[in-house]
């Protein structure tokens, strides 16, 4: 747990990936363009001394992921958000099955989400049922700009998509994470437009719609939708690293989100391995709103707000008992591996707090 002002803050990284973008796995030029674009985002927003080389970035593996997320207690838990891209990558870029190997090894540390694509029709509905049966997935990650044959995207408010949302409701898959943010080469920007969240959220009030990347660059559109739909949440992946090299922009984004949505509907996510929580958590935790933004919006990025955004809000959505986790982590395998037993027992800080 991150510590600030002698207070513990349980961090749930609500947006992590374990991907394979090796040249051997790429079957379409779009796969190479995609990972190169990811790497551009990585280098633009990562401190120079923390940047990875491209070979490691293509496929970093489970051991590195566990160390980066949990080795210095920067994050306490992670939520897998799959991204299949099977038209670009022979075995997929980051599938539920690939993520499941690590989530199964450390079930106390990871939450495993699935996905659906309405273009898959009845076969896709069957696959969604299989994911739920095999892994008891509590959520799905949706990528509306993914290419599939001649199709270059789909909409969340399509009739076909509603069939899948109905199936989610029926199965108790309550958390719908939709990528609604910056485009990635060669995908189409308009296919990531946040507008289709509005009707979906209105039509399925029993589901929680987490808009990943808070709609950037369409932040205003997202905020106006979220203001009228109380089952719409904002995921900070992509917005979070602005704290490092664009602190004024981060202050603006957070002020808008806290003013429109309140402190209980915003979730931290690193988008690992786009960015690494071993430095990003500290940047976000130590960031400040500008005096002008505090005065204009009447909001604060204070300790209680940070506790909610960094972990408690995700815990509420995923029925995670933070105190029970804290107790369990005093002697779980990861704490033993990285010498964190005393940290979770409250006897000493971890490296992330230095």
């Amino acid at each position: 747990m991150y510590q600030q002002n002698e207070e513990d803050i349980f961090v749930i990284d609500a947006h992590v990936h374990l991907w394979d973008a090796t040249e051997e796995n790429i079957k379409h030029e779009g796969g190479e363009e995609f990972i190169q674009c990811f790497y551009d985002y990585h280098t633009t927003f990562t401190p120079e001394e923390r940047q990875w080389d491209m070979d490691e970035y293509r496929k970093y593996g489970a051991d590195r992921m566990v160390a980066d997320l949990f080795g210095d207690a920067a994050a306490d838990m992670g939520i897998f958000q799959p991204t299949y891209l099977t038209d670009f990558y022979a075995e997929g870029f980051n599938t539920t099955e690939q993520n499941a190997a690590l989530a199964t090894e450390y079930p106390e540390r990871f939450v495993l989400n699935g996905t659906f694509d309405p273009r898959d029709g009845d076969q896709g509905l069957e696959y969604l049922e299989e994911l739920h049966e095999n892994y008891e997935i509590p959520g799905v990650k949706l990528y509306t700009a993914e290419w599939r044959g001649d199709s270059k995207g789909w909409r969340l408010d399509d009739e076909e998509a509603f069939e899948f949302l109905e199936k989610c409701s029926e199965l108790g898959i309550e958390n719908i994470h939709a990528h609604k943010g910056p485009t990635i080469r060669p995908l189409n920007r308009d296919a990531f437009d946040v507008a289709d969240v509005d009707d979906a959220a209105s039509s399925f009030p029993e589901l929680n719609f987490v808009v990943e990347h808070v709609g950037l660059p369409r932040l205003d559109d997202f905020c106006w939708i979220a203001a009228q739909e109380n089952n719409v949440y904002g995921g900070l992946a992509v917005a979070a690293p602005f704290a490092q090299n664009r602190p004024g922009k981060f202050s603006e984004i957070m002020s808008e989100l806290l003013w429109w949505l309140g402190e209980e509907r915003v979730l931290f996510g690193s988008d690992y391995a786009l960015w690494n929580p071993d430095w990003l958590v500290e940047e976000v935790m130590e960031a400040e709103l500008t005096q002008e933004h505090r005065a204009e919006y009447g909001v604060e990025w204070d300790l209680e707000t940070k506790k909610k955004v960094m972990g408690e809000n995700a815990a509420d959505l995923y029925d995670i008992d933070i105190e029970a986790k804290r107790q369990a982590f005093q002697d779980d395998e990861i704490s033993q591996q990285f010498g964190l037993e005393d940290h979770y027992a409250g006897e000493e800080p971890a490296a992330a707090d230095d």
Side-chain angles (χ1 to χ4, degrees):
M1 293 177 289
Y2 193 91
Q3 291 182 339
Q4 188 176 67
N5 299 332
E6 299 183 351
E7 291 267 2
D8 291 332
I9 300 176
F10 193 90
V11 177
I12 300 175
D13 190 335
H15 197 129
V16 301
H17 308 285
L18 181 60
W19 66 59
D20 179 0
T22 55
E23 294 178 359
E24 295 78 14
N25 195 34
I26 293 174
K27 68 176 186 180
H28 183 285
E29 63 182 4
E32 182 63 23
E33 292 178 10
F34 189 89
I35 193 61
Q36 290 287 347
C37 186
F38 260 34
Y39 192 65
D40 289 344
Y41 280 123
H42 168 74
T43 55
T44 297
F45 287 100
T46 301
E48 185 174 358
E49 68 277 9
R50 297 281 195 162
Q51 294 175 12
W52 297 10
D53 64 61
M54 186 60 178
D55 286 342
E56 185 172 25
Y57 198 71
R58 288 182 182 275
K59 186 177 182 179
Y60 39 91
D63 290 344
R64 164 113 201 213
M65 182 177 189
V66 169
D68 284 343
L69 264 62
F70 309 126
D72 61 2
D76 303 292
M77 295 184 65
I79 301 177
F80 275 119
Q81 306 292 0
T83 311
Y84 280 47
L85 297 174
T86 49
D87 272 26
F88 292 171
Y89 299 95
E91 301 299 326
F93 180 65
N94 161 49
T95 69
T96 304
E97 290 81 3
Q98 292 162 349
N99 295 335
L102 192 54
T104 302
E105 184 176 0
Y106 302 107
E108 291 297 318
R109 293 284 185 159
F110 286 107
V111 174
L112 180 68
N113 278 344
T115 192
F116 69 71
D117 189 318
R119 294 171 295 186
D120 292 334
D122 290 342
Q123 186 176 0
L125 289 169
E126 292 174 6
Y127 178 62
L128 181 61
E129 291 178 335
E130 289 175 9
L131 289 179
H132 184 259
E133 181 178 353
N134 293 337
Y135 304 116
E136 297 183 357
I137 56 170
V140 289
K141 168 70 184 304
L142 308 179
Y143 221 62
T144 57
E146 181 170 350
W147 290 8
R148 187 67 58 83
D150 293 332
S151 171
K152 293 188 176 181
W154 56 277
R155 291 182 58 89
L156 198 56
D157 54 5
D158 286 341
E159 181 179 346
E160 295 79 7
F162 273 29
E163 292 183 28
F164 282 77
L165 292 173
E166 289 171 359
K167 178 62 68 173
C168 286
S169 182
E170 174 189 324
L171 295 173
I173 302 172
E174 296 181 348
N175 299 313
I176 314 299
H177 295 253
H179 177 116
K180 296 295 179 180
T183 190
I184 303 100
R185 291 191 306 269
L187 307 180
N188 294 350
R189 177 178 179 271
D190 287 347
F192 282 138
D193 194 306
V194 70
D196 58 345
V197 172
D198 189 12
D199 188 25
S202 298
S203 300
F204 295 91
E206 73 277 16
L207 300 178
N208 307 308
F209 291 82
V210 183
V211 174
E212 298 294 351
H213 321 302
V214 296
L216 292 172
R218 302 176 175 92
L219 180 64
D220 280 353
D221 290 351
F222 164 68
C223 286
W224 283 89
I225 292 170
Q228 67 176 0
E229 306 291 350
N230 61 12
N231 59 333
V232 172
Y233 297 71
L236 285 179
V238 172
F242 279 91
Q244 187 268 139
N245 62 353
R246 294 283 306 280
K249 185 65 174 179
F250 179 79
S251 175
E252 176 190 345
I253 293 170
M254 287 304 303
S255 297
E256 290 279 358
L257 293 173
L258 294 174
W259 192 82
W260 285 97
L261 280 73
E263 60 187 17
E264 296 182 346
R265 285 197 285 142
V266 182
L267 282 65
F268 171 75
S270 69
D271 218 344
Y272 182 87
L274 269 160
W275 301 284
N276 199 325
D278 70 356
W279 63 264
L280 182 57
V281 168
E282 181 177 10
E283 291 289 346
V284 173
M285 287 295 303
E286 301 302 325
E288 297 180 354
L289 304 186
T290 67
Q291 182 176 350
E292 292 78 9
H293 287 150
R294 292 200 307 272
E296 177 180 351
Y297 292 92
V299 298
E300 294 290 341
W301 184 231
D302 55 20
L303 185 61
E304 292 307 310
T305 302
K306 292 173 184 176
K307 286 182 177 181
K308 291 180 180 295
V309 171
M310 301 303 290
E312 290 177 358
N313 293 341
D316 287 343
L317 289 182
Y318 282 90
D319 296 322
I320 295 169
D321 185 330
I322 289 177
E323 183 55 31
K325 290 290 185 182
R326 181 182 180 277
Q327 294 293 326
F329 293 169
Q330 291 180 25
D331 61 358
D332 77 332
E333 184 177 347
I334 285 178
S335 291
Q336 293 174 23
Q337 178 181 349
F338 297 108
L340 296 171
E341 300 96 330
D342 290 343
H343 168 69
Y344 282 104
E347 297 176 8
E348 65 178 36
D353 307 316
D354 295 340

